[in-house]
Amino acid sequence: MSYSEHVTEHLRITILRLLDESPAMRSNESLIADAVGEYGFAPSRDKMRTELAWLAEQGLVTLDGDSCLVATLTARGEDVAKCRATAPGVKRPNLSRG
């Protein structure tokens, strides 16, 4: 696996865990992009939209909106975020994170 693929897997689990911590398990793409920055990521708007679309294709989130996407964590996405399930292409979370 390439370094880029490792980073993408980490970004995806970070998005899921942030949504899991969000009120109503939903947030807009701008807030998610800001929040992942606190974990060392700096995705472009295009990269963020691509990853959100990928997560939606996998059934881990649902998306609403056009000019600003709003992502909502699905039950399956919550299971992956909480390490109750795994999804190929998403890093298994570190449960020791505070």
Side-chain angles (χ1 to χ4, degrees):
M1 183 180 301
S2 72
Y3 177 75
S4 176
E5 290 168 325
H6 280 289
V7 171
T8 296
E9 286 189 354
H10 278 262
L11 176 59
R12 290 171 179 162
I13 193 59
T14 301
I15 292 168
L16 294 178
R17 295 208 64 199
L18 287 168
L19 287 170
D20 186 49
E21 296 170 3
S22 298
M25 294 188 178
R26 61 186 284 135
S27 189
N28 71 55
E29 66 182 307
S30 180
L31 288 171
I32 296 168
D34 287 349
V36 298
E38 296 296 316
Y39 294 93
F41 298 98
S44 66
R45 182 178 173 100
D46 184 56
K47 174 68 171 170
M48 182 58 62
R49 283 183 160 241
T50 298
E51 295 312 322
L52 289 172
W54 186 91
L55 291 167
E57 287 174 6
Q58 305 309 307
L60 302 172
V61 302
T62 59
L63 297 176
D64 297 306
D66 272 330
S67 62
C68 185
L69 294 177
V70 176
T72 303
L73 194 64
T74 64
R76 181 167 182 255
E78 181 182 7
D79 283 345
V80 172
K82 291 184 175 173
C83 205
R84 296 187 297 232
T86 60
V90 178
K91 180 173 181 341
R92 188 168 174 87
N94 178 353
L95 294 179
S96 66
R97 190 184 112 202

